[in-house]
Amino acid sequence: MSSDYRPWEEREADLRRREALDAPKIAAAKARAAEIERESRKAEEADEEERVQRAETKAADAAAKLATEQAERRRKEAGRKLDTKAASAVKKFAIICFLVALPLQLRAFWDPTRPWNIAIPIMLESAAWVALRLAEAAIANRRLVWPYLVATAVFSSIAAGINIADGALHPEIGLVFGLGGGVASLSGPGMWMIHKFGARAKDAKATRSERKLAEQQAKQAEAELDAARVQADALVEAKRVEADGRQKIEADKRAAHEAKVAADKAAADAALMAQDEQRKSLYPGAWEQYELILAANPLGSISRDRAWDEARRADAHPDVWRRYQILTLNAPANTKSSDLWAEAWVSEKGLPLGHTIEGLATKLAAREYVDQTVAEHLGAAEHLAVEELLESLFGPGGDGGASPAKGRPKKPSGGPAQDLGAQVGIGKGPDSTPVRKDLTEPLSEADLKAARELRDADPDGFSTPAVADLLGRSRGYAKRIRDAINNPKGEQ
């Protein structure tokens, strides 16, 4: 057994002894924790109470402010109503005073011999009111007011003196009525001046607190304006920097694009120059025509490719090109150049576009050689079969039954045709092939005339295929026409 072993009773006793020694410390720690918790709770309660108090104070201030604002609004509303009533009363009083004073003025200046004298009292009574209007405008525009008030007092006093003197000098009017007219002349403008100028002075003159508040508001507005100006300047500067950056990027892109376009153009120009040198060396005749065509057309009105195509045409077929030029100059503007070239070709060559007399002669010579070979080695029936074969190879004939459908021999009665020899009846006698219409019909005088003209124009090329192409008929009929021309005593 290890020397460190201790029985459980000893270990339990040591545990109780350590707990007893640590108990005061644990109790003190718990008490401190409880105290801290109480203080924290008190602080939270104090904060909550302070928040509630602040909220109540704020609500009370808001309610007081609302009540003050409502009271001020009610006072202002009541003041506006009273001002409206006072203005109405003053206006009515001024009208009454004017109606009382003006007749007395008219009475004082009336003279039947001089009726225009009534303009003087109207002028005197109106002058005071005009001066009042001028005084109102002076107050509103911060000008001197007393000259207009003096003018109002002078004109009103003159009108009042005239009314009093008129009442004193005329017993029928009486001094009392004259004094009443004088009071009316003074009371109307005076009451209007007190009402209007008192309201204007109240509106124009502010209290010290209002002036201070206005100054503070003006300073605050100026500070806000300065801050807004600074912010606007910063924003403008930022936008300017951003715009400059964008412009620089766009300028770089534009410069790169222009450089690429210039490089592409230089490469294209170099390729065109190389192509021109190659054309000039390989096709000198076409190049000469090419330069003539470019010089004859306005700059940019014809493309290089089209000019080169026409130059090759002019070099290869100068006779057709000359005719094409004549047609181009005299034809309507909406005529296609391809139609003009085809017409020029037919006009010069006498053949469809792309065909020449040499090519036609070669073609006809080949057909003539085939016909002669067939005539030498085959009989009449076999020759008809070969004619049928040639028609299937070179195209149908004319109206004389030379088409494959109409000119093809009918099937023998013993069954379907098995081959070409069976179809045409080779070796079965002369009656095995049906009679064809183009081999028995009379020869047309028009066909004979056309064939004679062909022989006169080209004796070497006069052959059965040439006649068949000219007349558009079968080769059997064409052979009969050719034989009739070569042997006038033959078949007609």
Side-chain angles (χ1 to χ4, degrees):
M1 183 177 292
S2 175
S3 59
D4 294 334
Y5 174 76
R6 296 169 62 191
W8 69 271
E9 294 85 357
E10 186 178 353
R11 292 198 301 271
E12 186 69 23
D14 290 341
L15 180 60
R16 285 195 297 269
R17 186 168 52 254
R18 285 195 300 269
E19 288 179 355
L21 292 174
D22 294 336
K25 296 180 181 180
I26 295 173
K30 290 182 178 179
R32 181 60 181 166
E35 183 179 0
I36 293 173
E37 185 177 357
R38 285 194 300 271
E39 292 177 356
S40 176
R41 190 179 300 112
K42 288 181 180 180
E44 291 178 357
E45 291 176 356
D47 292 340
E48 182 66 25
E49 184 178 356
E50 185 178 359
R51 284 196 297 270
V52 172
Q53 187 176 1
R54 284 199 302 269
E56 292 176 354
T57 303
K58 186 176 181 180
D61 293 342
K65 183 178 180 181
L66 180 61
T68 303
E69 291 177 354
Q70 291 178 352
E72 183 67 18
R73 284 198 297 271
R74 288 195 294 270
R75 186 188 67 78
K76 290 182 178 180
E77 184 66 25
R80 282 196 295 270
K81 291 181 180 179
L82 292 176
D83 287 341
T84 302
K85 292 181 180 179
S88 177
V90 170
K91 186 182 295 184
K92 293 177 182 178
F93 178 75
I95 293 172
I96 292 172
C97 291
F98 185 78
L99 294 177
V100 170
L102 184 60
L104 292 177
Q105 292 282 329
L106 295 174
R107 168 67 182 78
F109 286 92
W110 174 250
D111 187 356
T113 61
R114 293 181 298 179
W116 57 83
N117 287 348
I118 61 174
I120 297 175
I122 295 175
M123 181 270 295
L124 292 174
E125 292 293 337
S126 301
W129 295 100
V130 172
L132 285 176
R133 292 295 185 186
L134 293 174
E136 291 182 17
I139 291 176
N141 295 288
R142 299 293 190 271
R143 297 196 302 265
L144 292 177
V145 183
W146 66 266
Y148 306 105
L149 298 181
V150 171
T152 302
V154 169
F155 288 117
S156 299
S157 300
I158 292 173
I162 291 172
N163 286 335
I164 294 173
D166 187 57
L169 294 176
H170 297 85
E172 67 273 13
I173 298 176
L175 181 59
V176 176
F177 198 78
L179 290 173
V183 171
S185 296
L186 292 172
S187 299
M191 193 63 67
W192 187 270
M193 181 176 59
I194 292 171
H195 170 68
K196 287 291 182 180
F197 294 162
R200 293 301 177 104
K202 181 179 179 182
D203 294 338
K205 186 177 180 181
T207 62
R208 183 178 180 183
S209 60
E210 291 175 347
R211 288 196 300 273
K212 288 184 177 180
L213 180 60
E215 291 176 358
Q216 292 177 358
Q217 292 177 351
K219 290 180 180 180
Q220 183 179 1
E222 186 176 358
E224 292 178 354
L225 182 61
D226 293 339
R229 188 180 296 110
V230 171
Q231 185 178 2
D233 293 341
L235 182 60
V236 170
E237 182 65 19
K239 288 185 177 180
R240 186 186 65 78
V241 172
E242 183 180 358
D244 292 342
R246 286 199 303 267
Q247 290 179 358
K248 186 176 182 304
I249 293 173
E250 291 177 358
D252 294 341
K253 290 182 178 179
R254 186 163 52 252
H257 177 68
E258 291 176 355
K260 183 178 181 300
V261 171
D264 294 343
K265 185 176 183 301
D269 293 341
L272 291 178
M273 291 179 62
Q275 185 183 44
D276 290 343
E277 292 295 332
Q278 186 180 17
R279 287 176 175 177
K280 187 175 181 180
S281 60
L282 296 178
Y283 307 99
W287 178 259
E288 182 180 356
Q289 295 293 334
Y290 175 73
E291 290 181 338
L292 293 175
I293 292 171
L294 290 180
N297 289 274
L299 185 62
S301 63
I302 186 171
S303 64
R304 288 171 48 89
D305 295 337
R306 182 184 171 189
W308 181 249
D309 292 339
E310 293 192 354
R312 293 181 62 187
R313 287 179 177 180
D315 182 57
H317 308 284
D319 52 345
V320 181
W321 174 254
R322 287 191 294 271
R323 181 61 179 172
Y324 170 72
Q325 291 291 95
I326 296 173
L327 294 176
T328 302
L329 293 175
N330 295 278
N334 58 350
T335 306
K336 295 182 180 180
S337 59
S338 59
D339 297 339
L340 294 178
W341 179 257
E343 184 177 352
W345 183 278
V346 174
S347 178
E348 291 295 328
K349 303 294 186 180
L351 295 172
L353 181 63
H355 296 276
T356 61
I357 190 65
E358 294 80 5
L360 180 60
T362 303
K363 178 181 177 182
L364 295 179
R367 290 187 178 181
E368 181 68 18
Y369 178 75
V370 172
D371 288 343
Q372 292 177 0
T373 303
V374 170
E376 292 175 357
H377 295 84
L378 296 179
E382 290 82 355
H383 179 70
L384 292 177
V386 173
E387 287 283 346
E388 187 74 18
L389 178 60
L390 291 177
E391 288 184 4
S392 64
L393 292 177
F394 294 103
D399 298 332
S403 62
K406 294 181 179 180
R408 183 177 298 129
K410 298 181 180 179
K411 298 179 181 180
S413 59
Q418 301 296 325
D419 52 21
L420 186 61
Q423 187 178 20
V424 299
I426 297 176
K428 294 184 179 181
D431 296 335
S432 60
T433 302
V435 178
R436 288 172 44 174
K437 178 181 177 181
D438 57 337
L439 299 180
T440 58
E441 65 176 319
L443 301 179
S444 172
E445 290 296 334
D447 294 342
L448 292 171
K449 181 179 180 181
R452 291 191 187 95
E453 292 177 355
L454 177 62
R455 185 190 64 178
D456 296 338
D458 186 14
D460 297 335
F462 184 70
S463 61
T464 300
V467 175
D469 290 342
L470 176 65
L471 302 179
R473 301 294 299 272
S474 67
R475 284 170 177 76
Y477 183 82
K479 184 176 182 300
R480 293 175 57 202
I481 291 291
R482 185 202 63 183
D483 295 341
I485 297 300
N486 292 332
N487 186 14
K489 297 181 180 181
E491 181 181 5
Q492 295 295 328

